């Protein structure tokens, strides 16, 4: 567990402090003034009071993750000098510094407007799937958004009470088939209770890149236990094979696409909704699994799902990793 480290200066003073992290993971909170923060070893998070837009974050480019964070609100957090701090926690997002630049993480958030049906606040894919309630990883410098969402099939969005501070956003859902007990509009014994959706959008923040400028992977867990057994899918642009409006499909090295019907806007947005009852997903489960139609999609179970994006140099620039805990 990350250790909390807090400043002691009263809010409103200009005097700063030197805050030193420990050997492990730390959560570091200043208390007014211009602080000098050294995270030390481990994965360290500096906490700020307001929204990201209220601060100026500047990388010094001198190694050790040196940055300055300046608060535009007088008398609140001041201007801090940081080194060896891997992430910044604001009220509205977590910003993680990576090899490909800063990545903003949002919980229970709305996907970019470019990835929505106009004036509907719904996804382009599907019929009326909310564009809200997503876990989002946004590579700011690349203008690329990776969104993952969990819903009860034909029903309400499942919100997360977790955060991305450990790199994984957790969700909890009920086991069993699709059911009106979970808010679904109908019962369906041949479908699992929940779906997961993805929304991938490029060309954000004024960038001219689209999805074909990146290598994007979808990792699907086929092990219902706490262990992870990923099948890796590669996003491929080929309108001759793809059957959806985005002209992308997901390739797992099979004779046919693993998933072929993504919807979206070619070539900047691709989206889909999937269920573990679908044949390709059922084929990933180990022999004897009860998370099947015959087994009533019985829990407990745990499935990890992740999106990864790499730039032209094969550097990982963003990852969105969620974990769905299926409870009895």
């Amino acid at each position: 567990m990350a250790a909390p480290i807090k400043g002691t200066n009263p809010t409103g003073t200009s005097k700063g402090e030197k805050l030193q992290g420990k050997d492990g993971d730390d959560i570091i909170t200043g208390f007014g003034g211009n602080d000098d923060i050294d995270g030390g070893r481990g994965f360290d998070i500096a906490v700020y009071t307001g929204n990201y837009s209220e601060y100026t974050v500047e990388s010094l480019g001198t190694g050790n993750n040196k940055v300055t964070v300046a608060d535009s609100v007088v008398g609140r957090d001041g201007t801090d000098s940081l080194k060896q701090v891997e992430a910044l926690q604001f009220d509205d997002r977590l910003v993680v510094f990576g090899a490909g630049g800063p990545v903003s993480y949002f919980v229970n958030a709305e996907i970019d407007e470019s990835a929505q049906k106009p004036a509907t606040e719904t996804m382009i894919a599907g019929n009326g799937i909310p564009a809200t309630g997503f876990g989002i990883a946004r590579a700011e410098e690349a203008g690329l958004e990776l969104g993952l969402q969990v819903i009860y099939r034909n029903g309400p969005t499942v919100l997360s009470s977790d955060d991305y501070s450990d790199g994984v956003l957790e969700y909890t859902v009920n086991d069993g088939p699709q059911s009106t007990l979970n808010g679904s509009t109908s019962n369906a014994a041949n479908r699992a209770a929940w779906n997961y959706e993805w929304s991938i959008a490029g060309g954000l923040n004024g960038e001219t890149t689209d999805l074909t400028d990146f290598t994007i992977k979808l990792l699907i867990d086929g092990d219902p236990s706490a262990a992870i057994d990923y099948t890796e899918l590669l996003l491929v642009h080929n309108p001759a094979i793809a059957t959806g409006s985005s002209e992308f499909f997901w390739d797992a090295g099979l004779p046919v696409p693993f998933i072929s019907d993504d919807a979206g806007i070619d070539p900047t947005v691709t989206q889909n909704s999937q269920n573990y009852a679908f044949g390709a997903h059922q084929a990933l489960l180990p022999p004897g699994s009860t998370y099947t139609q015959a087994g009533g999609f019985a829990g407990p179970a745990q499935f990890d799902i992740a999106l990864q994006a790499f730039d032209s140099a094969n550097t990982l620039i963003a990852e969105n990793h969620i974990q769905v805990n299926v409870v009895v």
Side-chain angles (χ1 to χ4, degrees), residues 205-284:
N205 300 339
E207 296 296 321
T208 59
T209 52
D210 59 50
L211 302 188
T212 63
D213 293 301
F214 306 98
T215 298
I216 300 176
K217 298 178 181 180
L218 172 63
L219 310 180
I220 302 174
D221 185 8
D223 190 332
S225 74
I228 299 175
D229 183 15
Y230 277 140
T231 293
E232 181 179 292
L233 279 59
L234 179 67
L235 186 65
V236 178
H237 184 259
N238 189 331
I241 296 177
T243 60
S245 58
S246 78
E247 299 189 354
F248 288 91
F249 71 90
W250 294 93
D251 180 35
L254 304 173
V256 296
F258 192 95
I259 300 168
S260 65
D261 61 345
D262 271 21
I265 303 172
D266 186 64
T268 58
V269 178
T270 194
Q271 301 175 338
N272 214 323
S273 178
Q274 293 289 301
N275 188 282
Y276 264 82
F278 296 168
H281 286 69
Q282 288 284 286
L284 302 180

Side-chain angles (χ1 to χ4, degrees), residues 33-214:
N34 306 325
D35 300 319
D36 188 351
I37 300 173
D38 184 345
R41 298 181 180 178
F43 187 89
D44 307 303
I45 302 173
V47 179
Y48 290 90
T49 308
N51 292 336
Y52 175 78
S53 62
E54 298 171 327
Y55 296 78
T56 299
V57 180
E58 182 179 3
S59 175
L60 302 182
T62 55
N64 290 331
N65 291 335
K66 289 184 179 180
V67 299
T68 59
V69 180
D71 191 354
S72 65
V73 177
V74 177
R76 188 170 60 178
D77 288 332
T79 298
D80 295 346
S81 298
L82 294 79
K83 67 177 180 180
Q84 300 188 104
V85 171
E86 286 69 36
L88 307 175
Q89 179 67 68
F90 299 94
D91 270 359
D92 62 338
R93 72 184 72 182
L94 175 72
V95 177
V96 178
F97 300 108
V103 179
S104 296
Y105 288 89
F106 305 84
V107 179
N108 301 329
E110 183 175 352
I111 55 176
D112 190 78
E113 187 175 354
S114 66
Q116 302 181 30
K117 292 178 182 176
T120 65
E121 293 190 344
T122 63
M123 290 176 58
I124 297 169
N127 183 18
I129 301 173
T132 55
F134 274 80
I136 292 173
R138 185 182 297 150
E140 300 291 358
E141 293 179 0
L144 181 68
E145 179 180 273
L146 307 178
L148 287 170
Q149 179 192 54
V150 178
I151 68 170
Y152 283 114
R153 181 173 170 82
N154 295 330
T157 303
V158 178
L159 299 181
S160 175
S161 58
D162 190 26
D163 58 39
Y164 280 105
S165 60
D166 64 352
V168 183
L169 186 65
E170 294 190 23
Y171 291 84
T172 300
V173 297
N174 295 326
D175 73 342
Q178 176 181 323
S179 172
T180 56
L181 295 177
N182 297 320
S184 298
T185 56
S186 62
N187 296 321
N190 64 340
R191 294 291 182 259
W194 57 280
N195 275 24
Y196 70 94
E197 281 86 31
W198 61 83
S199 175
I200 308 170
L204 309 184
N205 300 339
E207 296 296 321
T208 59
T209 52
D210 59 50
L211 302 188
T212 63
D213 293 301
F214 306 98

Side-chain angles (χ1 to χ4, degrees), residues 115 227 308:
Q308 297 178 333

